[in-house]
Amino acid sequence: VQLQASGGGLVQPGGSLRLSCTASGSAWANYAIGWFRQAPGKVREGVGCISAEPAHAVYADSAKGRFTISRDNANNTVHLHMNNLRPEDSAIYYCAAALKYCSADKDFTTWGQGTLVTVSS
């Protein structure tokens, strides 16, 4: 499977964005898709993940209550809906694939290119 992330941009604090991770290749439905982000000078951190069907999403504490991950299997796409964005959410966001389950970071073996999110007034 190959992944491509899109949807980043500039948004004001309190605003919303929807990122998309579109996959090509076979067996898309067998993969869990995780979202990660990395801000300048900081280590990469997980944001959330959605498992293969039956889909179940988990979130980092920083994302709970503000971010939602959804699958659109018909279009081989996973969305990261981000609401109430804060300046500290500014980062390059990446999506990555792991087989079936949202597991350890090391299990995400396929990565898309990042998309930049900037939260600023």
Side-chain angles (χ1 to χ4, degrees), residues 33-91:
I33 301 297
W35 284 97
F36 300 81
R37 67 186 183 186
Q38 187 166 20
K42 295 190 176 181
V43 298
R44 187 183 68 202
E45 63 175 348
V47 174
C49 175
I50 190 163
S51 66
E53 295 293 346
H56 176 69
V58 292
Y59 302 94
D61 287 345
S62 60
K64 287 179 182 176
R66 300 188 300 128
F67 295 2
T68 303
I69 300 174
S70 62
R71 293 188 77 112
D72 178 0
N73 286 338
N75 292 298
N76 285 12
T77 301
V78 167
H79 298 292
L80 174 64
H81 307 262
M82 304 187 294
N83 298 316
N84 193 19
L85 283 161
R86 306 165 180 165
E88 55 264 39
D89 294 316
S90 298

Side-chain angles (χ1 to χ4, degrees), residues 94-117:
Y94 301 88
C95 59
L99 191 59
K100 288 195 173 181
Y101 304 112
C102 296
S103 51
D105 287 4
K106 65 177 178 65
D107 294 326
F108 290 89
T109 56
T110 299
W111 290 77
Q113 93 293 353
T115 185
L116 178 63
V117 172

